[in-house]
Amino acid sequence: VRAYSASLLQAIDKCSIIKKCFGEALEIELEYSELENFKYYCNKNNINIIDVKYSDLATCLIEANFVEKENITSNTNLSIQKYKIIRKKYIRKNVEK
């Protein structure tokens, strides 16, 4: 029992708490020169970047809740060319311990 208890406590310590909230999957198109700035913004604001596609413009597939979407689309520092809502869905957010 002690061995199982110790391993269970170690597993719990390594786990992160995740909450699910309603949001949207979005495609964001931007210039390559703005891509690193956008990635930094998303990382700082706990916004999940699911995929990045490279063509004439960089296209990022992200998951954001409604407040985050409004902040991204209205932020003039990000220089977003255009965005498209793919679908509404439940998104996962990591919660700090």
Side-chain angles (χ1 to χ4, degrees):
V1 171
R2 280 186 232 133
Y4 289 121
S5 298
S7 61
L8 178 62
L9 290 174
Q10 288 175 355
I12 289 172
D13 284 340
K14 292 184 181 187
C15 290
S16 60
I17 299 170
I18 296 175
K19 74 175 187 173
K20 286 194 173 193
C21 59
F22 202 65
E24 297 173 329
L26 303 162
E27 264 186 6
I28 307 286
E29 290 185 358
L30 42 104
E31 297 286 338
Y32 284 106
S33 60
E34 296 296 321
L35 183 58
E36 290 305 315
N37 185 31
F38 182 74
K39 285 180 178 179
Y40 175 78
Y41 178 86
C42 289
N43 187 34
K44 184 177 170 187
N45 291 287
N46 196 20
I47 298 170
N48 299 329
I49 298 177
I50 306 303
D51 190 23
V52 179
K53 295 178 185 169
Y54 302 95
S55 60
D56 295 341
L57 297 170
T59 304
C60 298
L61 177 62
I62 66 167
E63 294 179 332
N65 64 34
F66 299 115
V67 173
E68 293 167 341
K69 182 192 90 170
E70 290 302 318
N71 291 341
I72 288 171
T73 56
S74 64
N75 189 330
T76 57
N77 295 331
L78 293 177
S79 302
I80 293 173
Q81 297 294 319
K82 71 177 187 177
Y83 73 94
K84 178 172 65 170
I85 299 170
I86 304 299
R87 68 182 178 277
K88 295 184 185 310
K89 63 180 278 187
Y90 283 100
I91 59 174
R92 298 171 57 160
K93 292 287 182 183
N94 289 334
V95 176
E96 304 247 346
K97 289 183 181 181

